[in-house]
Amino acid sequence: MTISPMVGRLSRFAAVGAFGTALNLAIMAVMLGLGTHYLVAAIVATELTILSNFLMQERLVFRDMREGRTFRQRILASFGFNNIETLVRMPVLVLLVDLLLIPGLVAQAATLAVAFLIRFAFTSRVIHRVRPVASRQVLVASLQEEQQS
């Protein structure tokens, strides 16, 4: 039985996301320990992990899907999307912490988990989309890579 390329890609994306989430929460925990407000800590932690996640996704998840856009276009699209997603997520974080009295780290982890599938869909369908001309070659290469794994 072989795993479909999309399931393999989603699994690698999840692994990168798990690492990024752990890094995000570690940065936030250190900042909270230093007395930083939870919202500032969450934003700083998010900004610092956006770049590391993008670079890991480029290398580990989407290395075979770079024909659609240049590196500059992909990184700008990633930063743009992730910053918009952060702007949407922060009011939810405030609601969870200030109104529902959920600890900041727990609330941050929850909001990151909820955003996971949205991030995967955007990243795979917009940032690393394959142009129709190249899609057949990319599909063949992806299938060959999965069979070798």
Side-chain angles (χ1 to χ4, degrees):
M1 182 171 97
T2 61
I3 297 175
S4 78
M6 185 59 80
V7 171
R9 192 173 311 283
L10 180 60
S11 298
R12 292 188 306 271
F13 189 88
V16 167
F19 177 82
T21 298
L23 182 59
N24 183 299
L25 296 175
I27 293 167
M28 187 173 172
V30 167
M31 292 184 72
L32 290 172
L34 295 171
T36 307
H37 187 271
Y38 77 89
L39 193 54
V40 173
I43 292 169
V44 170
T46 297
E47 290 303 314
L48 291 174
T49 55
I50 286 173
L51 179 60
S52 65
N53 280 5
F54 173 79
L55 295 173
M56 286 188 292
Q57 289 168 4
E58 279 282 299
R59 177 84 173 130
L60 303 173
V61 181
F62 299 107
R63 67 182 170 269
D64 60 337
M65 296 178 68
R66 296 181 184 165
E67 291 83 16
R69 293 176 172 218
T70 66
F71 178 82
R72 181 173 187 257
Q73 290 171 324
R74 292 190 308 272
I75 198 166
L76 289 175
S78 177
F79 270 91
F81 172 77
N82 282 296
N83 280 295
I84 290 169
E85 182 267 335
T86 298
L87 288 172
V88 171
R89 211 167 30 81
M90 289 304 111
V92 175
L93 184 67
V94 170
L95 172 78
L96 293 174
V97 174
D98 291 343
L99 294 179
L100 300 179
L101 304 178
I102 296 172
L105 279 175
V106 174
Q108 175 81 333
T111 62
L112 289 170
V114 169
F116 169 77
L117 287 176
I118 295 167
R119 274 190 237 107
F120 178 74
F122 184 85
T123 302
S124 62
R125 295 173 187 242
V126 177
I127 296 172
H128 289 93
R129 76 174 184 271
V130 178
R131 295 175 191 230
V133 175
S135 64
R136 184 177 178 99
Q137 294 169 335
V138 169
L139 178 60
V140 169
S142 180
L143 289 172
Q144 289 172 342
E145 175 188 314
E146 292 297 323
Q147 290 174 348
Q148 293 172 354
S149 301

